[in-house]
Amino acid sequence: MTADNASTANLDDATQLLNQEITETYDRQVYTSNAFPFSSPGHLRAAAHLYGLESVPLKNARVLELGCAGGGNLLPFALAYPQAHVVGVDLSPVQVKQGQEVVQALGVQNLHLHAMSLTDITPEFGQFDYIIAHGVFSWVPPEVREAMLRILRENLSPNGIGYISYNTYPGWKAGDIVRDAMMLHSHGAASEEDRLASAKAVLNLLSDGIAASNPLAPSLRAAVAQLRKHSDYYIAHEYLEIFNNPCYLLEFVNLADQHELTHVGDADPHVEMSVTFGQNVQLNHSLVALGQPREMRQQYLDFAVGRNFRKSMLVHKNRADQVLISPNMERLADLRWAGHFTETAQEENAPKNRRAFRGYKNQPLYSSDETVIAVIQTLSEAWPTSLDFDTLLAGVQSRLAPMEGDTARKKTLEVLQTLFRLNSLRYAFEPTPYEAADGDQKDANPALIPGVAYLFQQKKDPAFGVGMFNLWHDSINIQLKEAEAFILPQIDGRNSRKQLATLLRDALNRGTVSGTDGKSLKGQRNLDAVADKMVGKLLELLRRQALLR
């Protein structure tokens, strides 16, 4: 063992005590373990391609997550790729035990969760093609941050992709002030509940009670307004933890360099492009960053946009020459694309011919461009499966007036670039698990993706800490009426839509469940149409959320 290994594997007593305090905090207040799409191996593989990097195919990939909580960010991948090897490590025995119970209940054979300190990971723990650490780096002692980078150096495979997220300056400058005030006002509270209540009480001072002459007033009000959108457990873990250490990107890059790692860019490549933030940003950024190294260009952009959070991709330093200075937009044609859009009513006084849509993430989209509309219609029809560029192009051409192939290809790629910068689509480098299903069978006998019915049932328990997800690695939160919840477990690939409607009809007639309006339909006849409509509405909701295979 090297001196570096010894210093991180054998932490001093003070750091071990801090680790123990962090463990107890997470054990007392379980943090819901959700899926985060930008940290999924499939997304990282696609993003790496845009930066010019090769990566390991997903089917047999080895994946490690540092700070996995209950495994909610690993479950979608483990279920989608049963031949992959997936490992999670977390300090909290309570959260790991809950995750292990979910793994066992779902019969997942390839996911292994361990309650242990990540500082105990050595080269003997094995090599991994994707190492993920989401929501950990800023919230642990310096010795543990050093250990995380050591693990990437020692345990990341030669073509592996590392991912670490963390709070960043300049965007977190106002957050620091808010956190300091919350820590001050909650100091000495007798319980976790009192501490949280005291911390939240001071927020009024930093919004409604802030002096007009305070030069930081706009930033503080914005920080408080953003904070109030989040849950209590987010506030407790983000603002009241022992550690919360934001840093500038260049500080993180320098630390990574000391561990023989190269910073690639953000896992959402569109945020590394100045054009994403408007022409003024693009023009001034290009002037300031002209001729600068990639990391400097990224840092200047952080200043321009007030970045407060980064999702950094890392590779071994010997691959530094392979990394492109910015994401290559021509490579979008190499990826597979997916998306779902619903047309909505047009606003009053809207421009003529402009159409309004809402994406499945609920973001609005307005366009009168026929190619844009053709792209989103083609993708929506195929959702949740993905389409390669040529298949998408053929679908677009079938919806438009005839045009030459080169013109159609160029226009479709331009639309993809626009939707990519708007973060309106999902994308992958290789076929997704949704493409593996038999399309005809899927339509005849709809089936949920693995885990949906079980996790929906478990989430009724407030103490349950593993969130629902789809195989695009999105975190899903659906609310169902009693009748819909009744039929959900029956959507298992063995029942057609007609059979599902019959099951629901009989349950409504018996009074086992009430109608969607909460009223009993017991003893009523001619419920076939009512049941079929309810099943159809539920199936459409599940399809929109990508919860059907």
Side-chain angles (χ1 to χ4, degrees):
M1 181 180 288
T2 65
D4 180 54
N5 288 346
S7 64
T8 53
N10 300 299
L11 299 177
D12 59 45
D13 291 342
T15 303
Q16 289 188 36
L17 287 173
L18 288 171
N19 266 353
Q20 182 61 32
E21 191 169 342
I22 292 171
T23 302
E24 291 172 356
T25 299
Y26 279 85
D27 283 348
R28 286 193 302 269
Q29 189 169 5
V30 174
Y31 197 107
T32 302
S33 182
N34 285 318
F36 298 96
F38 40 75
S39 70
S40 70
H43 180 85
L44 295 177
R45 179 156 159 75
H49 180 72
L50 297 181
Y51 287 111
L53 291 166
E54 293 184 7
S55 57
V56 176
L58 304 177
K59 183 178 179 181
N60 299 108
R62 298 159 294 177
V63 179
L64 170 65
E65 182 169 24
L66 308 175
C68 67
N73 197 34
L74 291 172
L75 269 170
F77 181 80
L79 286 166
Y81 298 94
Q83 297 180 50
H85 178 64
V86 189
V87 178
V89 170
D90 197 276
L91 269 178
S92 170
V94 171
Q95 299 199 68
V96 167
K97 183 175 185 295
Q98 193 169 80
Q100 289 171 338
E101 290 171 354
V102 173
V103 168
Q104 184 176 4
L106 296 179
V108 186
Q109 301 294 318
N110 61 335
L111 174 55
H112 311 278
L113 305 179
H114 304 281
M116 60 183 287
S117 172
L118 63 87
T119 58
D120 292 333
I121 294 175
T122 66
E124 287 70 34
F125 201 72
Q127 284 205 329
F128 296 88
D129 306 308
Y130 299 90
I131 298 181
I132 301 161
H134 181 69
V136 181
F137 190 81
S138 292
W139 299 270
V140 292
E143 295 84 356
V144 180
R145 294 198 293 273
E146 292 276 348
M148 292 173 67
L149 293 168
R150 171 185 60 79
I151 291 167
L152 262 66
R153 183 183 73 231
E154 296 177 348
N155 297 83
L156 190 65
S157 66
N159 274 354
I161 304 293
Y163 166 99
I164 296 178
S165 66
Y166 50 98
N167 289 336
T168 52
Y169 294 131
W172 243 89
K173 290 291 187 180
D176 273 348
I177 298 173
V178 173
R179 180 174 185 267
D180 289 344
M182 293 173 75
M183 295 287 280
L184 174 67
H185 198 56
S186 61
H187 179 72
S191 67
E192 292 293 329
E193 292 75 14
D194 290 345
R195 185 167 179 250
L196 180 62
S198 296
K200 292 169 68 175
V202 81
L203 295 180
N204 288 334
L205 175 66
L206 300 177
S207 54
D208 301 339
I210 203 163
S213 59
N214 187 333
L216 298 176
S219 297
L220 291 174
R221 287 197 184 100
V224 171
Q226 186 64 30
L227 181 57
R228 281 177 167 155
K229 297 177 182 178
H230 293 287
S231 63
D232 284 351
Y233 70 71
Y234 173 88
I235 294 172
H237 290 299
E238 183 78 5
Y239 282 80
L240 301 180
E241 286 290 353
I242 303 168
F243 292 96
N244 188 335
N245 296 295
C247 63
Y248 281 105
L249 169 64
L250 288 182
E251 294 175 312
F252 180 82
V253 169
N254 181 59
L255 190 58
D257 184 71
Q258 294 173 30
H259 288 81
E260 298 297 314
L261 298 167
T262 288
H263 182 268
V264 176
D266 201 273
D268 276 335
H270 69 279
V271 305
E272 297 289 27
M273 302 167 57
S274 57
V275 65
T276 297
F277 304 97
Q279 292 184 349
N280 286 341
V281 173
Q282 182 184 23
L283 173 61
N284 287 280
H285 180 261
S286 64
L287 293 173
V288 171
L290 183 65
Q292 297 284 357
R294 181 182 64 258
E295 295 88 349
M296 285 292 290
R297 294 171 63 89
Q298 294 167 347
Q299 180 64 80
Y300 283 129
L301 190 57
D302 282 8
F303 281 118
V305 304
R307 188 104 63 201
N308 65 359
F309 189 70
R310 268 196 168 270
K311 310 176 296 294
S312 287
M313 296 170 58
L314 299 145
V315 294
H316 289 296
K317 197 171 183 178
N318 60 10
R319 302 183 69 191
D321 292 343
Q322 302 170 20
V323 184
L324 300 176
I325 194 167
S326 62
N328 184 344
M329 291 296 93
E330 293 297 318
R331 288 192 165 211
L332 294 184
D334 301 334
L335 302 182
R336 302 181 65 90
W337 296 91
H340 184 277
F341 297 83
T342 303
E343 188 157 10
T344 59
Q346 189 60 274
E347 299 172 352
E348 286 187 31
N349 303 318
K352 190 176 181 181
N353 299 326
R354 191 186 78 171
R355 296 169 68 177
F357 299 87
R358 194 161 288 276
Y360 82 103
K361 292 187 290 183
N362 211 34
Q363 74 275 45
L365 177 70
Y366 305 97
S367 182
S368 56
D369 185 286
E370 61 180 9
T371 307
V372 171
I373 294 169
V375 167
I376 66 177
Q377 288 177 336
T378 302
L379 292 175
S380 298
E381 188 176 279
W383 176 260
T385 61
S386 66
L387 302 178
D388 62 56
F389 184 77
D390 288 338
T391 303
L392 172 61
L393 178 59
V396 169
Q397 288 177 304
S398 71
R399 286 174 161 83
L400 300 176
M403 66 177 80
E404 292 192 15
D406 288 346
T407 302
R409 181 182 178 85
K410 180 181 178 182
K411 291 188 69 174
T412 300
L413 186 56
E414 288 174 351
V415 169
L416 279 184
Q417 291 172 357
T418 298
L419 295 176
F420 172 80
R421 290 195 297 269
L422 292 172
N423 197 27
S424 295
L425 302 177
R426 285 280 175 258
Y427 50 90
F429 185 65
E430 55 188 275
T432 75
Y434 292 104
E435 278 82 83
D438 184 316
D440 294 335
Q441 180 67 23
K442 177 174 63 175
D443 291 337
N445 296 313
L448 296 169
I449 64 172
V452 172
Y454 172 80
L455 291 172
F456 180 81
Q457 180 66 28
Q458 294 300 311
K459 76 170 189 173
K460 296 176 182 177
D461 178 3
F464 186 71
V466 178
M468 291 179 64
F469 52 81
N470 62 28
L471 298 184
W472 278 108
H473 225 91
D474 293 306
S475 179
I476 301 294
N477 183 24
I478 57 172
Q479 306 296 323
L480 300 182
K481 300 292 179 61
E482 183 185 33
E484 295 170 329
F486 168 80
I487 209 68
L488 187 72
Q490 310 302 323
I491 306 175
D492 55 7
R494 292 179 291 187
N495 295 304
S496 66
R497 171 173 170 167
K498 183 176 180 180
Q499 289 170 317
L500 292 170
T502 299
L503 290 169
L504 181 56
R505 178 204 66 194
D506 293 345
L508 290 169
N509 182 265
R510 291 191 304 268
T512 305
V513 296
S514 59
T516 52
D517 59 0
K519 295 180 180 179
S520 175
L521 301 175
K522 185 177 180 179
Q524 292 191 23
R525 297 181 178 182
N526 302 320
L527 292 173
D528 295 84
V530 173
D532 182 72
K533 183 178 180 180
M534 291 167 65
V535 168
K537 183 179 178 182
L538 174 60
L539 291 175
E540 177 54 31
L541 169 66
L542 297 173
R543 189 181 84 86
R544 190 166 62 248
Q545 297 293 335
L547 295 177
L548 296 178
R549 296 178 185 173

